[in-house]
Amino acid sequence: MNVSKVERELKALFEKELTHNRRRHVVFWYDASGEFLNEVKELELDDVRIWTLTENNLFATKYELETADPDSHFLIYANMPKPTPREDWLFLHYKNGMEYTSDRVTMTMREVGVEDDQLRPVFEKYSTFFRRQTRKETFLSFSTTFDSKEKIDLAVLATLTKSPFLSSDECVRALLKEELKEKNRFWEEVEKYGDVATFWQLMERHYGYSLEERTLSSLFLFFMMTYLSDQVDVDLLPSEWQPYISSRPMNVIVFMNQWMNHTTDREVFNQLADRFAEQVHINLIVENWAIDAIVQADGFRQFDEKVIAYLQEQLVYDVNQFAYYKDILTERRRLHWYSEFQAEYEAIENGRWLLQFVQEKDNYIPDQSAYDLFQAYASDYYRADLFYRKFYTAFDRIERKERLFPLREKIENVYTNWYLQELSIRWTNRQNKELVPTWTIARIAQQTQFYQTYIEPIISSDERAFVIISDALRYEVAKELMDVLNNERKASTDLQAMQGVIPSYTELGMASLLPHETIEYVEGHVVVDDIRAQGLENRKAILQKHVKNAVAFTFQELMAKNRTQLRESLAGQKLIYIYHNTIDARGDHAATEVGVFEAAEAAIHDIRRLVNQLVNNVSASNIFITADHGFLYERQRLEERDKLPKHVEEAIRIKRRYVLSQQIRTKQEEGTLTYEVHHLLDQRTPLYVTVPNGTTRFSIQGTGANYVHGGSMLQEIVIPVITFKNDRSKFSKNMIQYVDVKLTTPLRKVTNQVIYLEFFQTEKVEEKRLPRTFSLYFIDENGERVSNENLLIADSESSEPSERTFKEKFVFRTMSYEREIEYYLILKDEATNEIYDKVPFTIDFLSELN
C-alpha cells in the first residue's frame, strides 16, 4: 500500500475532534499478516507516538499509556490478530480509542459495530455488497445488533430486496412479487451482491424447502402446496404434489396467510396464484373433489369458482338445502378470494333468499281480502321484490355474467311466472270483488290523506316538519332505507304503508302528498286548490296557501348549500318539502331503464346523506320520507302476450299502465279494470281511469316497457311513509351499539403450534345492535405478528348461543418463544382499525429452527 495514503488516513483519524473529555487519540492498528510491518517504520505523523505492540510488551504498553505518557497521541501497531475483549489487556483503551485498518473487510466490520472476528468470513463473503455506500447505509438502517451470521445474511438479503423489515417473509415476498415482471431485478441483485447458496439455506431453515430444484417458481409452488395441505385432506392431493409439501409447514402457513391478507400485495399474490394454477391444472384436479372438501380452502380462485357453480346448480335444480347453502356462503365470506367474487356470492345469496321465500309460501299465495293482501305485502310479500332487486344489483356488477345465466333464468322464472303471476291473480280478484269502482281500502291510510295524517299534527304542535319525497321510492326500497337510517343514527324510525292513488304516476302522486282542499283533473292536468300541481314553484305556492312559513327545494339545490347557507334558507320555515328524483329519472327512459335497480341503491345513499345533512346542520327532528308511486320492473324481455291492445278512442292520456278518458265504455274492456275518478279525487267533470289487470301493459309505440308505473299492482300503490324522529337524549333505547365478542376459552397458555380458541358473540344482531368484523392474531411484546390471522364476522341474528359461537384456528411461527414474557391475542375492529381487545398469553413450546 502507498505509505502516503496510509499517512493521510491516519492523520485524518488523529485530527478528529476530541469528545467526551478525552485528552488525546489512541489508534490501534492490528496487522496479523505483517503486511505493513515495514511501512509503519516510514510513517511521519506529527505529534503522534508510534508504538509497536507485541505479546511481550503488553504490560509495558499499558504502563506507558496510563502512567508514563498519559497525554500524547498514540498509534499502537500490532503484528498480531486482534484479541478478544476478555483476553485484551488494553481493551479499555481500545474501547475508548479508534481502530485503523487498511483491510476493507475490517473497516466494514468496524463501521457495522462487529468486534467478533469469527464473523469475518461472513463479511468477506459480502465484500462486493459493502463496496457501495448506499447499500451499506441501508444495511445499517436495520435496528438490530449484528451478532450472528444469520442476522447479517438476512440484513444483506433485506437490503437487496428493498424490504422494509428484517424479515425472511418480507424478503421472500419481495422476490416472488418480482417474478411477475420480465426481469426479476431483486434476484439479479442477490446473484451479484449476495449469496445464492445462503439464500437457499435460509429457505430450508425457515420453511423446510429442501427440493433439488432451486428456483423461485418452485419455491412459490412449494408455498402454495404446503398452504393447501393445511386446508384440504392431504390424501386428495396428487402424488406429484407431495414433495412440495413442507415437513415443517407452520412458517409457510403464517407467511401465506399474511401475504393473502396484505392490503396492497394481495393483488400480486392473486396474479401469481393464477399463473401457477394454470401450470398445475388445478381446475382439473379440483373438478372431482367433493364440495365439502374445499369449503374452507382459498389458495386458488378455482375453489370459489367451483363453490359458485355448485351453489348455482343446487338452486337451479331445486335442491333446497337453504341452511346448508347459508353456512357455505358464511364460510366463504371469511376467505381470501371473496372480494374477487363478492358480486357472484351476493347474487347467489339473494337468489337463495327468493327461492327460500317461495318454499316458505309452499308455491302458493292464498286468496284473502284486499285489506289482508295489502297488509301481507307490506309485512311479508315485499321481500320477493327486494330479493329480486338485490339479485340484479349484484348480478349487474359481475364481469363474467354468463357464469350465472342459469340462475338468472331460474330467478326470472320464479319471480315473473310464479310470484308476480300469483300476486296478480289474487290482487286482481280482490279488486274486482271489493275495490271497483271506489278503489279505497277501509282501514288503510290513503295517500291523499298524507298531509292530514302525518304532517298536520306536527305543524299544529308548533314543531317543524321536513318531508322528503323520492320519485318512485318503492316500498321495498324504503324498507332498506329505513334499516340503514335506523342502524346509523340515534333515532327512532317507523315504516308504514299508504294506499296510493291511481293512476299511480308522478303528477297525481305528488299532488296527493300536498296539503289541499281539492284535487281534480282540469283539462288533463292535476290541479290542487285551483293551482296546477306540476313544477316546484307551483307546489311551493300550494304549500304556502296552507302553511305560511313553508318552502320547497329539489334535492340537488339543498345538498349544494353549505351549513350557513342551509340555515339561512330554512330560517323561520315550519314546513319544508324536498323533492328527490333518482329512480324514476333512470327508469322512465328506455335507454336507462336497465339501471333502475342501481338507481334504487343510489337513492338510498342520497336520502341517507340528506337526512344526515338536515340533522347535523339544522337540527331537524321530524323527517318524513315518502313517494309519489312505486313501480313494476322485470328484467327479461316482455312478450306481446304481456301487452293489451288499447281500444279507448276517447282517451285524454294513454300510457302503458293506465288510460284516462272522459267516457266509460258500455262494455268492460277484457283484462282491465275501470274506476270513476270522482271516487278517488274531488272530480267535478266525468273522468275514468282504466288499468290493465295484474302486470300487463297496454301496447303502445316505443321501447321501455320493462319499467312501468301508473297501474294498480301492489308494487305501484303500496306507498311507504318513513317517520324519522331524531333522538338527542343522552341515554335512550335508540342508542346505536355494536355487538360484543368475547374470548371464552379459559386457558391463557399456548403449548402447541396449532391451537383452537372459541369466541362468543354476546348478543344477537337486531335493531340498534349492529354486527362487527374482527381480525384475530397473536403478537409479541414488540408488536410483531407470530401467528396467522383469522377474520371473525359477528353478525348472527340467532337467539341460540350455539349459533353465536365461533371456533378459530391459530398457527404459530416456528421461532424461539420466551416463557417469561407475555404475548397477546389481538382482536382488531376492521371498521375502525382499532384494537378492540388485547388478551395476554404465555407461549411455552419448543419450536426452534434447526
Side-chain angles (χ1 to χ4, degrees):
M1 175 177 277
N2 192 317
V3 174
S4 61
K5 181 180 180 182
V6 174
E7 285 182 349
R8 286 198 305 271
E9 292 175 347
L10 287 169
K11 284 180 180 178
L13 290 177
F14 283 106
E15 289 173 359
K16 283 188 175 182
E17 182 183 356
L18 290 166
T19 59
H20 303 295
N21 299 318
R22 294 191 179 95
R23 290 179 294 174
R24 61 171 176 187
H25 287 304
V26 177
V27 177
F28 288 81
W29 182 0
Y30 288 99
D31 178 21
S33 64
E35 183 179 355
F36 302 102
L37 191 60
N38 295 325
E39 283 82 348
V40 169
K41 299 173 183 178
E42 302 176 15
L43 292 175
E44 294 182 5
L45 300 173
D46 296 338
D47 299 323
V48 176
R49 291 187 61 185
I50 300 175
W51 182 280
T52 300
L53 177 68
T54 68
E55 293 181 355
N56 298 319
N57 70 350
L58 293 172
F59 181 78
T61 303
K62 186 177 177 66
Y63 177 80
E64 193 71 19
L65 288 169
E66 296 177 2
T67 304
D69 189 358
D71 298 318
S72 295
H73 297 302
F74 271 84
L75 170 63
I76 309 295
Y77 173 79
N79 178 207
M80 64 175 69
K82 183 172 65 176
T84 62
R86 181 175 293 181
E87 299 171 343
D88 191 356
W89 281 43
L90 304 174
F91 180 69
L92 183 61
H93 294 284
Y94 173 82
K95 184 177 179 182
N96 292 325
M98 294 181 287
E99 182 180 0
Y100 171 76
T101 179
S102 56
D103 176 6
R104 193 179 298 275
V105 172
T106 305
M107 291 287 285
T108 300
M109 292 176 66
R110 184 173 68 219
E111 285 185 63
V112 173
V114 174
E115 299 176 357
D116 186 354
D117 215 42
Q118 293 182 9
L119 294 176
R120 183 181 182 84
V122 188
F123 284 90
E124 290 175 344
K125 179 174 64 174
Y126 295 124
S127 59
T128 305
F129 169 87
F130 284 109
R131 282 177 188 170
R132 178 169 291 181
Q133 185 63 26
T134 54
R135 287 195 292 265
K136 190 185 298 182
E137 289 172 357
T138 303
F139 179 93
L140 290 170
S141 68
F142 294 109
S143 300
T144 187
T145 302
F146 297 103
D147 54 3
S148 70
K149 173 182 178 299
E150 288 73 20
K151 285 185 179 180
I152 298 167
D153 287 333
L154 190 56
V156 168
L157 184 61
T159 301
L160 296 175
T161 58
K162 300 190 183 307
S163 301
F165 308 110
L166 203 59
S167 157
S168 60
D169 284 358
E170 290 288 343
C171 296
V172 172
R173 185 160 67 226
L175 285 166
L176 292 176
K177 284 165 57 180
E178 285 291 303
E179 281 291 277
L180 288 172
K181 300 178 181 178
E182 187 175 342
K183 285 186 178 182
N184 191 326
R185 58 190 177 94
F186 289 161
W187 185 247
E188 290 178 352
E189 291 280 296
V190 172
E191 290 179 319
K192 288 181 184 178
Y193 307 113
D195 186 70
V196 172
T198 298
F199 171 79
W200 292 113
Q201 290 169 8
L202 184 67
M203 295 304 96
E204 182 171 0
R205 177 176 173 79
H206 277 266
Y207 308 112
Y209 181 84
S210 57
L211 297 175
E212 292 184 10
E213 183 184 358
R214 298 297 177 95
T215 65
L216 293 177
S217 296
S218 174
L219 180 63
F220 183 75
L221 186 59
F222 173 82
F223 285 152
M224 289 295 289
M225 294 301 109
T226 301
Y227 181 73
L228 182 58
S229 69
D230 182 60
Q231 296 185 320
V232 303
D233 188 345
V234 177
D235 294 336
L236 289 173
L237 304 180
S239 58
E240 60 267 26
W241 291 4
Q242 300 296 330
Y244 290 89
I245 300 174
S246 177
S247 58
R248 291 175 287 145
M250 303 311 177
N251 280 356
V252 176
I253 294 168
V254 175
F255 166 70
M256 292 292 285
N257 173 269
Q258 293 190 0
W259 186 1
M260 293 164 73
N261 288 324
H262 196 278
T263 305
T264 57
D265 287 348
R266 59 178 288 125
E267 178 56 34
V268 179
F269 169 83
N270 292 353
Q271 295 178 49
L272 281 169
D274 287 343
R275 174 190 292 184
F276 282 89
E278 186 175 347
Q279 290 182 11
V280 301
H281 306 291
I282 188 70
N283 57 327
L284 298 178
I285 302 298
V286 174
E287 188 176 325
N288 297 318
W289 290 359
I291 197 69
D292 286 340
I294 64 168
V295 166
Q296 296 181 329
D298 68 344
F300 296 102
R301 73 167 68 238
Q302 284 74 13
F303 297 135
D304 290 84
E305 289 172 346
K306 182 177 176 67
V307 169
I308 288 168
Y310 168 81
L311 291 171
Q312 173 175 239
E313 182 180 28
Q314 298 293 101
L315 292 172
V316 167
Y317 289 103
D318 295 322
V319 186
N320 296 330
Q321 299 177 0
F322 297 117
Y324 176 56
Y325 307 150
K326 180 181 179 181
D327 290 342
I328 293 177
L329 289 164
T330 298
E331 183 61 36
R332 297 310 296 181
R333 287 185 308 168
R334 306 170 60 248
L335 302 180
H336 171 75
W337 290 94
Y338 178 79
S339 60
E340 305 293 322
F341 294 95
Q342 185 171 352
E344 284 89 339
Y345 281 123
E346 288 182 359
I348 289 172
E349 172 73 350
N350 284 285
R352 178 188 75 85
W353 275 117
L354 179 57
L355 297 176
Q356 185 172 326
F357 172 88
V358 176
Q359 186 188 58
E360 290 171 358
K361 301 297 174 280
D362 198 20
N363 290 280
Y364 177 71
I365 293 179
D367 189 21
Q368 48 200 304
S369 70
Y371 174 86
D372 289 336
L373 198 51
F374 186 98
Q375 296 288 48
Y377 180 85
S379 63
D380 185 18
Y381 296 164
Y382 78 88
R383 295 189 299 132
D385 298 303
L386 173 66
F387 300 145
Y388 181 75
R389 173 172 64 84
K390 299 297 282 187
F391 170 83
Y392 270 110
T393 300
F395 181 84
D396 290 342
R397 300 200 317 269
I398 299 172
E399 291 187 10
R400 294 175 55 191
K401 292 179 172 56
E402 66 276 7
R403 293 196 292 198
L404 285 189
F405 277 176
L407 181 59
R408 184 185 69 169
E409 185 177 348
K410 176 76 172 182
I411 295 302
E412 280 293 338
N413 181 56
V414 167
Y415 181 76
T416 303
N417 297 331
W418 177 77
Y419 169 69
L420 288 182
Q421 184 174 341
E422 279 282 302
L423 194 61
S424 296
I425 292 171
R426 299 293 176 264
W427 182 239
T428 301
N429 179 48
R430 281 297 114 190
Q431 285 180 269
N432 271 314
K433 290 183 177 180
E434 300 182 36
L435 304 185
V436 176
T438 59
W439 174 242
T440 304
I441 304 173
R443 295 180 292 145
I444 297 292
Q446 298 299 301
Q447 188 177 23
T448 53
Q449 299 170 345
F450 167 76
Y451 181 83
Q452 178 184 350
T453 303
Y454 294 98
I455 309 305
E456 193 170 58
I458 301 296
I459 301 300
S460 299
S461 61
D462 203 30
E463 292 187 60
R464 184 161 61 167
F466 293 82
V467 179
I468 302 171
I469 303 173
S470 182
D471 204 328
L473 186 73
R474 190 161 70 172
Y475 184 84
E476 51 90 8
V477 182
K479 176 63 169 67
E480 184 178 355
L481 170 61
M482 186 198 74
D483 291 338
V484 169
L485 295 174
N486 198 40
N487 291 323
E488 185 175 87
R489 301 202 64 93
K490 193 178 76 168
S492 62
T493 58
D494 178 58
L495 175 63
Q496 295 181 9
M498 302 185 297
Q499 182 184 0
V501 295
I502 53 171
S504 52
Y505 77 111
T506 300
E507 187 178 6
L508 180 57
M510 292 294 185
S512 301
L513 298 169
L514 292 166
H516 61 269
E517 296 294 335
T518 61
I519 301 177
E520 63 179 326
Y521 279 97
V522 177
E523 297 180 354
H525 300 294
V526 181
V527 174
V528 174
D529 298 343
D530 299 323
I531 301 174
R532 186 178 172 185
Q534 194 167 21
L536 186 67
E537 290 304 316
N538 287 344
R539 293 171 189 166
K540 187 187 300 184
I542 296 168
L543 288 172
Q544 291 174 348
K545 193 172 183 179
H546 292 267
V547 179
K548 181 180 179 181
N549 298 321
V551 68
F553 297 94
T554 65
F555 167 80
Q556 290 82 359
E557 182 184 3
L558 205 62
M559 291 301 291
K561 297 179 184 295
N562 60 33
R563 183 187 182 97
T564 301
Q565 293 169 335
L566 188 63
R567 289 188 168 187
E568 290 175 353
S569 299
L570 301 182
Q573 303 296 342
K574 296 296 297 290
L575 179 60
I576 301 95
Y577 268 53
I578 305 162
Y579 292 93
H580 171 265
N581 185 12
T582 296
I583 298 174
D584 210 47
R586 189 87 61 93
D588 255 348
H589 299 281
T592 59
E593 67 173 358
V594 72
V596 69
F597 286 161
E598 181 185 0
E601 298 286 320
I604 292 171
H605 176 68
D606 286 348
I607 299 171
R608 168 188 162 273
R609 288 170 51 221
L610 176 57
V611 170
N612 288 336
Q613 173 99 315
L614 296 175
V615 171
N616 295 335
N617 292 339
V618 294
S619 302
S621 294
N622 303 297
I623 302 175
F624 298 87
I625 304 165
T626 187
D628 50 350
H629 56 78
F631 63 87
L632 286 169
Y633 178 75
E634 301 162 64
R635 177 62 62 90
Q636 69 180 9
R637 183 176 180 273
L638 297 175
E639 305 295 337
E640 285 304 313
R641 63 175 179 269
D642 299 318
K643 301 175 183 178
L644 292 174
K646 57 180 192 307
H647 296 305
V648 187
E649 293 79 4
E650 306 84 2
I652 296 173
R653 182 178 297 158
I654 301 175
K655 297 292 182 180
R656 295 192 186 278
R657 287 290 290 163
Y658 69 93
V659 174
L660 278 174
S661 59
Q662 292 179 323
Q663 296 182 22
I664 188 169
R665 295 180 64 85
T666 55
K667 184 178 180 181
Q668 178 70 44
E669 192 78 34
E670 184 177 355
T672 66
L673 296 169
T674 298
Y675 293 89
E676 298 179 37
V677 174
H678 79 269
H679 289 298
L680 311 173
L681 308 175
D682 306 291
Q683 194 66 28
R684 289 173 287 185
T685 59
L687 195 63
Y688 304 90
V689 56
T690 299
V691 297
N693 291 348
T695 63
T696 53
R697 283 81 158 156
F698 287 121
S699 180
I700 62 175
Q701 288 185 344
T703 56
N706 290 69
Y707 170 90
V708 291
H709 57 85
S712 61
M713 273 294 286
L714 291 166
Q715 287 88 344
E716 299 168 283
I717 60 88
V718 176
I719 306 300
V721 179
I722 298 175
T723 303
F724 177 95
K725 181 77 173 177
N726 194 41
D727 186 347
R728 292 190 179 85
S729 61
K730 192 172 183 180
F731 302 102
S732 77
K733 64 179 182 179
N734 294 317
M735 189 81 71
I736 303 293
Q737 294 185 19
Y738 292 86
V739 296
D740 288 325
V741 169
K742 301 297 182 186
L743 172 66
T744 55
T745 303
L747 295 178
R748 296 295 182 267
K749 185 175 184 180
V750 179
T751 56
N752 289 292
Q753 263 189 284
V754 179
I755 65 169
Y756 292 87
L757 298 178
E758 283 195 352
F759 300 84
F760 180 60
Q761 179 184 320
T762 57
E763 53 196 332
K764 68 179 182 179
V765 171
E766 55 185 340
E767 186 176 297
K768 304 296 183 184
R769 294 294 180 272
L770 306 186
R772 66 201 314 175
T773 300
F774 298 98
S775 291
L776 314 175
Y777 52 88
F778 280 83
I779 62 171
D780 62 17
E781 60 181 354
N782 297 317
E784 296 294 325
R785 297 193 184 191
V786 297
S787 78
N788 66 316
E789 177 183 311
N790 289 297
L791 193 67
L792 189 156
I793 304 174
D795 65 349
S796 175
E797 299 176 356
S798 174
S799 298
E800 293 296 324
S802 61
E803 295 182 13
R804 302 201 307 273
T805 299
F806 306 87
K807 189 174 184 179
E808 303 296 340
K809 176 182 178 181
F810 292 90
V811 178
F812 289 84
R813 289 186 180 279
T814 301
M815 56 180 280
S816 177
Y817 293 96
E818 301 292 336
R819 301 176 184 176
E820 294 78 16
I821 69 173
E822 286 188 333
Y823 298 83
Y824 300 93
L825 169 66
I826 299 298
L827 282 73
K828 186 182 75 173
D829 190 316
E830 285 289 281
T832 63
N833 208 34
E834 296 179 352
I835 303 301
Y836 168 79
D837 201 2
K838 185 176 181 181
V839 185
F841 272 76
T842 58
I843 300 180
D844 186 8
F845 61 82
L846 296 175
S847 67
E848 296 271 3
L849 289 169
N850 294 327

